[in-house]
Amino acid sequence: MKFYLEHANLSVDDAQDTVNFLLAAIPDWKVRGTGKWDAPTGQTVSWFHVGDDENYITVQSGGDGPAKEWSSQWTGVKHLGIVVPALTPLIERLRKQGYEVDHFGGEHPHRQSAYYVEGNNVQFEFVEYLSTVANERNDYTI
């Protein structure tokens, strides 16, 4: 069996806002499960597993303010990158839901990407690969 990233866990102020963003971006995803747990902080935290049968993002309440600006210096996850089959339809879908591109990734002949910052200030990168050849997709010298 191959190693792969199954999920990431995000703690935010407004979990439903991030869930809505992810479902708008990726129509094939769904809320696979949801629940509540009593956190060590004394809070009751709501959680949502948003994804498909193999991969998901846990989005949970219980955050303490928005995430720090991605362009500032801090320790932590700066963004989550999600591969998409086509970037242009994603951009249009999100624009219709009121989300605008924060910025685009660098120019590359074999991939393109767009970065979004959603309502909890969490940044997501959506990447479309324009080649199936691994060393073209992963060429960082261009």
Side-chain angles (χ1 to χ4, degrees):
M1 178 161 140
K2 179 181 173 180
F3 289 95
Y4 65 95
L5 179 64
E6 180 199 44
H7 73 276
N9 185 313
L10 300 175
S11 181
V12 296
D13 276 343
D14 184 346
Q16 191 62 57
D17 188 57
T18 301
V19 169
N20 293 344
F21 172 79
L22 289 169
L23 294 176
I26 308 169
D28 292 347
W29 280 12
K30 63 185 179 202
V31 176
R32 321 179 346 167
T34 186
K36 296 184 183 294
W37 69 284
D38 294 325
T41 60
Q43 298 170 292
T44 298
V45 171
S46 299
W47 60 267
F48 304 84
H49 285 182
V50 182
D52 59 24
D53 292 336
E54 287 84 35
N55 308 294
Y56 62 94
I57 297 174
T58 301
V59 181
Q60 68 180 46
S61 64
D64 185 17
K68 293 190 178 193
E69 292 295 322
W70 69 269
S71 59
S72 64
Q73 183 177 359
W74 54 280
T75 301
V77 176
K78 291 284 189 166
H79 68 262
L80 297 178
I82 300 171
V83 176
V84 299
L87 190 60
T88 301
L90 176 133
I91 291 169
E92 287 304 314
R93 209 170 33 254
L94 287 175
R95 182 174 292 129
K96 287 179 183 175
Q97 295 293 318
Y99 300 102
E100 295 297 329
V101 173
D102 182 70
H103 65 281
F104 289 97
E107 300 235 355
H108 195 283
H110 305 296
R111 64 179 178 262
Q112 57 184 0
S113 64
Y115 293 79
Y116 285 83
V117 178
E118 53 75 75
N120 289 290
N121 215 34
V122 177
Q123 186 185 69
F124 291 89
E125 176 187 13
F126 296 100
V127 182
E128 176 186 358
Y129 286 104
L130 307 172
S131 172
T132 59
V133 179
N135 57 345
E136 288 180 349
R137 293 164 47 129
N138 301 328
D139 185 348
Y140 301 102
T141 63
I142 298 175

